[in-house]
Amino acid sequence: MSQDYLGEFEQMVLLSVMRLGDRAYGLAVKDELESVAGRSPSSGALYTTLDRMEKKGLLESYAGESSSERGGRPRRYLRLTPAGRAMLSETRSTLLALWEGLEGALDG
Amino acid sequence: MSGRHPPRWLERIAGRALPAGLSGQGTLGDLAEEFQRRAAESPLRARLWYAGQTVSIVAYRAFTGTGADSMETRSDLVADLRWSFRLVLKHPGFAFGVVAVLGLGLGANAAVYSVVDGTFRNTTWWRAPDRTLGVWPERKWSFGMMELYREDQAAYRSLGGWVELAYALRTPDGASESVNGVAITPQLFRELAVQPVLGRALEDDDALLGVEPVVVLGESIWRRAFGADPGVLGSTVDISGVSMRVVGIQGSAAKAPGGRAQLWLPLVVDPREDDYFKATNLKLVGVLRDGVTMDDAYQEIDAFDDYLARLFPAFFTSDWDDGLVRIARADASQRRLISTPLLLLLGGTVLLLLATALNVGNLLLGRAIERRSELAVRAAIGAGRGRIVQQLLVEAAVLTALGVGAGLAIGAVGGPWIRELFVGQAVVASSSVLSPSVLAFVTTAAVGAWIVLGGVPVAHFLRAQRAALTLRPHSGVRVQRSLVAVQAALATLLLVSATLLVGTVDNLRRVPLGFDKQNLLAVELSPPEDRVAASTTARGLYDALAEEVAGIPGVEAVGLTDRLPLGAPAPTAPINLASAPVDQVQAPKARLHAVDPGFFAVMGMEAVEGRLLDSEDRKRGISAVVVNETLARSLWPDASPIGQRIAIDPHMWSTFLPVVGVAPDIRSDDITAPPEPAMYVSLAESPARDVTLLVRTRRDGAAVIPAVRRAVTDVDHLVPVRSVMWMDDVVRAAYSISWIVMGLLVALALLATGLGAIGIYAALTQHVASTRKEIGVRMALGAEPGEVVGAVVRSGLLIAGVGIVMGSVAAALSARVLESMLFGVSTLSAWAYAASALGVCAAAVLSAWIPAWRAGRLPPAEVLRGE
């Protein structure tokens, strides 16, 4: 797995999914990205990324409830797989290692 | 339930791009949910948002290959596409140049083809062309005859007539403008292929006697004079002194009865009028009923013909057996005039496209040579040959596609522009560049261009591969040079054609006309029917006009004729000789001109023998005839024409008139033909409806024009001035088609030459770059810079020379295409070939000079050290 590296947007998406817990589905992720990270990705970008990460085994999805306002289509709930968690934590520790000793450097 | 739902068609597009199953359904659901949320604020914005999201989904799926299907080749193709687009963005200048050049080539083709298509496709004005017939198109119908036949016939579902007239239209700004109009049987109006875009068509009741006069305005005058104001509908406008209610706006059609008619009036037929049975310019058209064949219609009209012959024995003197003509065929003769010029232009643009494709192919080849090592490395690390070929082809396809876009934009502007050049000279129309046939043509042309510009680097790559790993730098250069030679050949071919046409136009310009066209003003007038109905009023009108205009300061002489010299050819009339009577079929014919006594003076014509028509004739009660030299020679080769007696009216075959004089030959009918036999009779004796006032002014007589217009209005404000033209311009108009084609071909030839020059420049630059070492060695061994420069220029000339030979051979072989357009120039005229060769050589030397000069300045030591 370590030859793959999470891109910035992928990290954000995975973190949003984690933060939302069992309420994580596409639109909620989008809202979360917007409210917390100030990013409003296009649908193309977001859903392509979700599909790609599911294909890589970082995410898994399951069907949720449907409603009339969704045209009768189910929600696609998302959660991290163990591989996804491992990847995220690996990325975090790599970044933290790189940041070590630099905490004050940007302020000066 | 709000009932708000994303647009279904967008949803369908997004759904198709998304993967099946939960992923796709979940995404569509999310989009629907967000759409609801946004629609609560603004439904319109929500829709726009949804459209944007759909585009982003489709784009992401296409470019990342994670769409519904992701087979390997597809993602290869997608990768190639992305790579090609990236290349475009990385070298925007190069891409811009390529797209501009290709766009020019494709655009010229799109423009000319849209005119060709428009002109040849819309073969008819009528809704049901297969069943629409011209009924005795050569016959002079009268309203009464038409009405008799309309009542009698059973073969046609619609039968009616139309007549073209000039009207004086008072525009909202108060000016009076002469506008061509068509008075047409309402039933027939509704058979037209183009119908009103606003308001209603003419209805049968509109043509009843005593109802309010109505008019349908043409779209272009509605836009021009009424500012496209829909409020015009229902209002009244003043047309030739009659207040008419506007009921509709007729859509534009280049092919309409009357060509450029801008007014459509119901043809009102009043049996109480004196001229009810008088021959007019009425054209009869019928649309056959279902199941009725043309043979049936023939039989019916034959029977009717017998009936008419009994009714009007005097009218049926000559052999009218042209009967029924399919309208489409009648149109064909009109189109023949324009077909050669248009097809010639299309040939020119196709050659230009070939030149542009070769040019771009060359540029891509140059780049392929530069990327030789990259391609070699990629081949070495296992990229299959097919992969690299595909990549090169995709790159060419992307550039071609961008070129098509530019080409369609150029064509959309250029097509109507070219059409407008020919309008007035010929019957032309243009199709939209987005019409299926034009798109199909442009696509075909683009595929051809793509094959050339993709094939060149591919062929080079494959050859280089075959030459294995020892890629010699010259391998591509030779290909490049032969391609440039072909470009030079195309330039030569186009230059020869253009030069021959330049010679033609020059010859036409110098044709001795026999009259002085300088400072001669031609004013076309269309007096209303009732003003000339009686010969006496007409005479009064003509005399008054001539007198009034003659009084304008700056006017030296005034004359009248029944037709504009070099406008439509005069009709021919059979001639019976008192000394040796003949029947009408065998009678010699001559063009008949009706003129007033002032005509000869204003044209600068003096009697060759005897005298010309004068105002005394009328007082003496003589109907005199003047013949021209050609007619005099052919009728009386050994005797004097003076005092001979001839009859020229088929209805009065034994009424002989004296020939009083011989006028010099002038070219007043067809500028390219030798003078024809012609005769002149007094306009007062045979009043014509349309007359042309010829006004000889002093030098710089532009100020006379408004005065002439005013004078005409003063004499009779209901006489519309159809046009005011300097005879100089009329003469030029007589060869304007040659002139326009020449201009466009010259432009194409110069473009092709420019492209050839760029090609030579590129090839020689490449050549100099790849032979730096060789040049360095030669200079180190004592070669002078001048020799190096000379060698490079010579190789440029060599390329051009090969091209000139190829192009000249091609020009000689294809000369027959051009032949019918030429006048006084042989298709093999040496000077045209010499001039073209010289032009291409000059372009070659100019474009070779820069790389040659650079080569001459190469410092030998540095070059050798560098290697």
Side-chain angles (χ1 to χ4, degrees), chain B residues 735-764:
Chain B
Y735 55 82
S736 60
I737 289 187
S738 304
W739 179 267
I740 296 163
V741 172
M742 177 202 81
L744 292 174
L745 263 189
V746 165
L748 289 178
L750 291 180
L751 281 173
T753 310
L755 287 172
I758 293 173
I760 289 175
Y761 169 79
L764 291 183

Side-chain angles (χ1 to χ4, degrees), chain B residues 493-826:
Chain B
L493 177 54
L494 280 168
L495 276 175
V496 168
S497 313
T499 316
L500 289 173
L501 273 172
V502 170
T504 295
V505 168
D506 190 51
N507 285 339
L508 288 171
R509 210 165 48 84
R510 292 162 191 262
V511 165
L513 294 167
F515 62 89
D516 181 6
K517 63 178 183 179
Q518 301 300 326
N519 301 321
L520 186 57
L521 203 58
V523 184
E524 283 186 290
L525 302 173
S526 294
E529 195 96 40
D530 56 342
R531 294 296 196 279
V532 282
S535 155
T536 45
T537 21
R539 189 184 302 159
L541 181 66
Y542 300 149
D543 287 349
L545 281 171
E547 238 168 70
E548 186 79 20
V549 172
I552 297 170
V555 169
E556 292 185 337
V558 178
L560 280 160
T561 160
D562 62 341
R563 64 195 54 243
L564 179 69
L566 290 172
T572 56
I575 300 170
N576 194 14
L577 298 167
S579 54
V582 284
D583 67 44
Q584 282 186 22
V585 180
Q586 288 160 355
K589 288 188 168 64
R591 298 213 178 267
L592 182 63
H593 298 266
V595 300
D596 81 336
F599 171 79
F600 300 99
V602 81
M603 294 287 274
M605 294 159 73
E606 281 172 14
V608 176
E609 202 180 337
R611 64 171 177 85
L612 299 173
L613 301 176
D614 62 35
S615 45
E616 298 302 305
D617 286 336
R618 205 195 294 162
K619 290 181 195 151
R620 290 189 220 113
I622 306 173
S623 297
V625 182
V626 168
V627 297
N628 74 349
E629 292 170 283
T630 303
L631 182 59
R633 264 198 308 275
S634 78
L635 290 182
W636 304 283
D638 308 313
S640 165
I642 312 301
Q644 303 280 358
R645 300 172 63 76
I646 59 175
I648 55 175
D649 188 342
H651 303 260
M652 296 188 284
W653 200 229
S654 311
T655 308
F656 294 98
L657 313 171
V659 173
V660 297
V662 178
D665 284 340
I666 61 168
R667 285 188 210 234
S668 63
D669 294 302
D670 181 354
I671 194 167
T672 57
E676 289 176 79
M679 47 203 176
Y680 300 89
V681 296
S682 163
L683 183 64
E685 300 291 332
S686 46
R689 235 199 109 212
D690 295 343
V691 290
T692 297
L693 192 64
L694 294 164
V695 183
R696 171 80 57 195
T697 67
R698 295 206 187 97
R699 184 182 289 278
D700 202 20
V704 168
I705 295 176
V708 169
R709 279 185 183 278
R710 223 173 304 124
V712 173
T713 316
D714 285 349
V715 171
D716 189 334
H717 72 282
L718 286 182
V719 174
V721 173
R722 250 154 66 110
S723 72
V724 180
M725 288 176 285
W726 289 106
M727 211 48 220
D728 219 6
D729 296 332
V730 176
V731 172
R732 206 169 297 130
Y735 55 82
S736 60
I737 289 187
S738 304
W739 179 267
I740 296 163
V741 172
M742 177 202 81
L744 292 174
L745 263 189
V746 165
L748 289 178
L750 291 180
L751 281 173
T753 310
L755 287 172
I758 293 173
I760 289 175
Y761 169 79
L764 291 183
T765 305
Q766 200 101 44
H767 169 67
V768 169
S770 61
T771 54
R772 272 167 68 94
K773 197 159 120 191
E774 193 185 319
I775 295 170
V777 170
R778 282 174 56 190
M779 288 181 65
L781 290 176
E784 291 292 318
E787 290 173 43
V788 173
V789 171
V792 177
V793 170
R794 259 198 306 283
S795 63
L797 276 175
L798 184 69
I799 298 173
V802 173
I804 288 168
V805 172
M806 291 195 292
S808 301
V809 171
L813 292 177
S814 59
R816 295 185 69 183
V817 182
L818 203 58
E819 205 158 14
S820 67
M821 291 273 325
L822 298 182
F823 175 68
V825 183
S826 152

